[in-house]
Amino acid sequence: RTGQQRADLQAEHRFADRPYALLQLALSGDRGELYRRIDERVEAMFDAGLVEETADLLASGYSPALKALRTIGYREVIRHLQGDLSRAETIGLIQRETRHYAKRQLTWFRQDKEIIWVDSARESDRIHALIDNFMRDKRSGHG
């Protein structure tokens, strides 16, 4: 959180000159499916050793105050290692925070009018046509 308005941040991070032609596609889909996949991914991260990785980082002398360790996932696992959260509470909290983060990302990107939103499950033909047209325009010098 920077205290700046979203519009100001977006304007600040836009490039005035775009040296390259861009085709910006974003995949949209069912929000429930996105959340289900987030939940599964968090479970997989735990199964793959997120708690052990975090414990090793802390044991190696890395401070929990480091910016990298204050990100979603690490900060909750640190609380778990400190005894503040059970494993189930930690997983649930990371899942919730990741879903909230994904929602904020979607809100941010939906304000960019140059992004073409497509449903990857139903619009593969449209995606291919957009890419083909973009490439054809590039080759002919129109992009």
Side-chain angles (χ1 to χ4, degrees), residues 54 58 63-65 69-70 73-84 90:
T54 307
L58 296 173
S63 169
L69 293 180
R70 288 186 284 130
Y74 283 124
R75 71 175 171 237
E76 293 82 6
V77 170
I78 289 170
R79 289 184 57 201
H80 168 67
L81 292 170
Q82 294 169 338
D84 294 339
T90 304

Short mmCIF file of all heavy atoms in Angstrom, two decimals, residues 54 58 63-65 69-70 73-84 90:
data_model
loop_
_atom_site.label_atom_id
_atom_site.label_comp_id
_atom_site.label_asym_id
_atom_site.label_seq_id
_atom_site.Cartn_x
_atom_site.Cartn_y
_atom_site.Cartn_z
N THR A 54 10.95 -22.36 4.63
CA THR A 54 10.89 -21.15 5.45
C THR A 54 11.71 -21.32 6.72
O THR A 54 12.47 -20.41 7.10
CB THR A 54 9.42 -20.80 5.78
OG1 THR A 54 8.67 -20.75 4.57
CG2 THR A 54 9.32 -19.49 6.51
N LEU A 58 15.01 -19.04 7.89
CA LEU A 58 15.13 -18.39 9.19
C LEU A 58 16.34 -18.92 9.96
O LEU A 58 17.08 -18.14 10.58
CB LEU A 58 13.84 -18.58 10.01
CG LEU A 58 12.58 -17.94 9.42
CD1 LEU A 58 11.35 -18.34 10.23
CD2 LEU A 58 12.72 -16.43 9.33
N SER A 63 16.14 -12.56 8.28
CA SER A 63 15.18 -11.93 9.19
C SER A 63 13.76 -12.03 8.62
O SER A 63 13.55 -11.78 7.43
CB SER A 63 15.54 -10.46 9.38
OG SER A 63 14.50 -9.79 10.05
N PRO A 64 12.80 -12.32 9.49
CA PRO A 64 11.40 -12.30 9.04
C PRO A 64 10.97 -10.91 8.56
O PRO A 64 9.94 -10.78 7.89
CB PRO A 64 10.61 -12.71 10.28
CG PRO A 64 11.59 -13.28 11.23
CD PRO A 64 12.93 -12.74 10.87
N ALA A 65 11.75 -9.89 8.88
CA ALA A 65 11.43 -8.52 8.47
C ALA A 65 11.84 -8.24 7.02
O ALA A 65 11.45 -7.21 6.46
CB ALA A 65 12.10 -7.52 9.39
N LEU A 69 10.36 -12.04 2.77
CA LEU A 69 9.71 -12.94 3.73
C LEU A 69 8.42 -12.36 4.30
O LEU A 69 7.77 -12.98 5.13
CB LEU A 69 10.68 -13.29 4.86
CG LEU A 69 11.89 -14.13 4.42
CD1 LEU A 69 12.79 -14.44 5.61
CD2 LEU A 69 11.45 -15.43 3.75
N ARG A 70 8.03 -11.19 3.83
CA ARG A 70 6.76 -10.59 4.25
C ARG A 70 5.70 -10.76 3.17
O ARG A 70 4.62 -10.19 3.24
CB ARG A 70 6.95 -9.10 4.58
CG ARG A 70 7.72 -8.90 5.88
CD ARG A 70 7.81 -7.45 6.31
NE ARG A 70 8.79 -6.75 5.48
CZ ARG A 70 8.57 -5.60 4.85
NH1 ARG A 70 7.41 -5.00 4.95
NH2 ARG A 70 9.52 -5.05 4.12
N GLY A 73 2.37 -16.15 1.92
CA GLY A 73 2.94 -17.49 2.02
C GLY A 73 4.00 -17.52 3.11
O GLY A 73 3.81 -18.16 4.14
N TYR A 74 5.08 -16.81 2.87
CA TYR A 74 6.14 -16.80 3.87
C TYR A 74 5.67 -16.18 5.19
O TYR A 74 5.93 -16.71 6.26
CB TYR A 74 7.37 -16.03 3.38
CG TYR A 74 8.22 -16.79 2.39
CD1 TYR A 74 8.50 -16.24 1.14
CD2 TYR A 74 8.77 -18.02 2.70
CE1 TYR A 74 9.29 -16.91 0.22
CE2 TYR A 74 9.56 -18.71 1.79
CZ TYR A 74 9.82 -18.15 0.56
OH TYR A 74 10.60 -18.82 -0.35
N ARG A 75 4.97 -15.05 5.12
CA ARG A 75 4.59 -14.39 6.38
C ARG A 75 3.66 -15.26 7.21
O ARG A 75 3.76 -15.29 8.44
CB ARG A 75 4.03 -13.00 6.13
CG ARG A 75 2.66 -12.95 5.49
CD ARG A 75 2.11 -11.53 5.39
NE ARG A 75 0.91 -11.53 4.60
CZ ARG A 75 0.72 -10.80 3.51
NH1 ARG A 75 1.66 -9.98 3.10
NH2 ARG A 75 -0.41 -10.89 2.84
N GLU A 76 2.75 -16.00 6.56
CA GLU A 76 1.84 -16.87 7.30
C GLU A 76 2.59 -18.08 7.86
O GLU A 76 2.33 -18.50 8.99
CB GLU A 76 0.68 -17.31 6.39
CG GLU A 76 -0.26 -16.19 5.99
CD GLU A 76 0.23 -15.35 4.82
OE1 GLU A 76 1.28 -15.69 4.22
OE2 GLU A 76 -0.41 -14.35 4.49
N VAL A 77 3.51 -18.62 7.08
CA VAL A 77 4.28 -19.77 7.56
C VAL A 77 5.16 -19.36 8.74
O VAL A 77 5.33 -20.13 9.69
CB VAL A 77 5.11 -20.40 6.42
CG1 VAL A 77 6.09 -21.44 6.97
CG2 VAL A 77 4.19 -21.05 5.39
N ILE A 78 5.71 -18.16 8.70
CA ILE A 78 6.50 -17.68 9.84
C ILE A 78 5.63 -17.63 11.09
O ILE A 78 6.06 -18.08 12.17
CB ILE A 78 7.14 -16.31 9.53
CG1 ILE A 78 8.26 -16.49 8.50
CG2 ILE A 78 7.67 -15.64 10.80
CD1 ILE A 78 8.81 -15.20 7.91
N ARG A 79 4.41 -17.15 10.96
CA ARG A 79 3.49 -17.16 12.11
C ARG A 79 3.22 -18.59 12.58
O ARG A 79 3.12 -18.84 13.79
CB ARG A 79 2.17 -16.46 11.74
CG ARG A 79 2.31 -14.95 11.59
CD ARG A 79 1.00 -14.28 11.32
NE ARG A 79 0.03 -14.55 12.37
CZ ARG A 79 -1.30 -14.43 12.20
NH1 ARG A 79 -1.79 -14.04 11.05
NH2 ARG A 79 -2.12 -14.70 13.20
N HIS A 80 3.10 -19.52 11.65
CA HIS A 80 2.90 -20.93 11.99
C HIS A 80 4.11 -21.45 12.77
O HIS A 80 3.95 -22.11 13.81
CB HIS A 80 2.68 -21.75 10.72
CG HIS A 80 2.76 -23.23 10.91
ND1 HIS A 80 1.83 -23.93 11.65
CD2 HIS A 80 3.65 -24.14 10.45
CE1 HIS A 80 2.15 -25.22 11.64
NE2 HIS A 80 3.24 -25.36 10.93
N LEU A 81 5.31 -21.14 12.27
CA LEU A 81 6.53 -21.61 12.95
C LEU A 81 6.69 -20.98 14.33
O LEU A 81 7.29 -21.58 15.22
CB LEU A 81 7.75 -21.30 12.09
CG LEU A 81 7.86 -22.10 10.79
CD1 LEU A 81 8.96 -21.56 9.89
CD2 LEU A 81 8.10 -23.59 11.10
N GLN A 82 6.13 -19.78 14.51
CA GLN A 82 6.17 -19.11 15.82
C GLN A 82 5.09 -19.63 16.76
O GLN A 82 5.01 -19.22 17.91
CB GLN A 82 6.04 -17.60 15.64
CG GLN A 82 7.22 -16.97 14.93
CD GLN A 82 6.98 -15.52 14.52
OE1 GLN A 82 5.83 -15.07 14.39
NE2 GLN A 82 8.06 -14.79 14.32
N GLY A 83 4.24 -20.52 16.26
CA GLY A 83 3.19 -21.11 17.08
C GLY A 83 1.88 -20.35 17.10
O GLY A 83 0.97 -20.69 17.86
N ASP A 84 1.75 -19.32 16.27
CA ASP A 84 0.54 -18.51 16.25
C ASP A 84 -0.60 -19.16 15.47
O ASP A 84 -1.77 -18.84 15.70
CB ASP A 84 0.82 -17.13 15.63
CG ASP A 84 1.76 -16.30 16.47
OD1 ASP A 84 1.90 -16.57 17.68
OD2 ASP A 84 2.37 -15.37 15.91
N THR A 90 -2.93 -21.96 8.75
CA THR A 90 -1.94 -21.33 7.88
C THR A 90 -2.32 -21.54 6.42
O THR A 90 -2.31 -20.60 5.63
CB THR A 90 -0.54 -21.91 8.16
OG1 THR A 90 -0.24 -21.73 9.55
CG2 THR A 90 0.52 -21.22 7.33
#
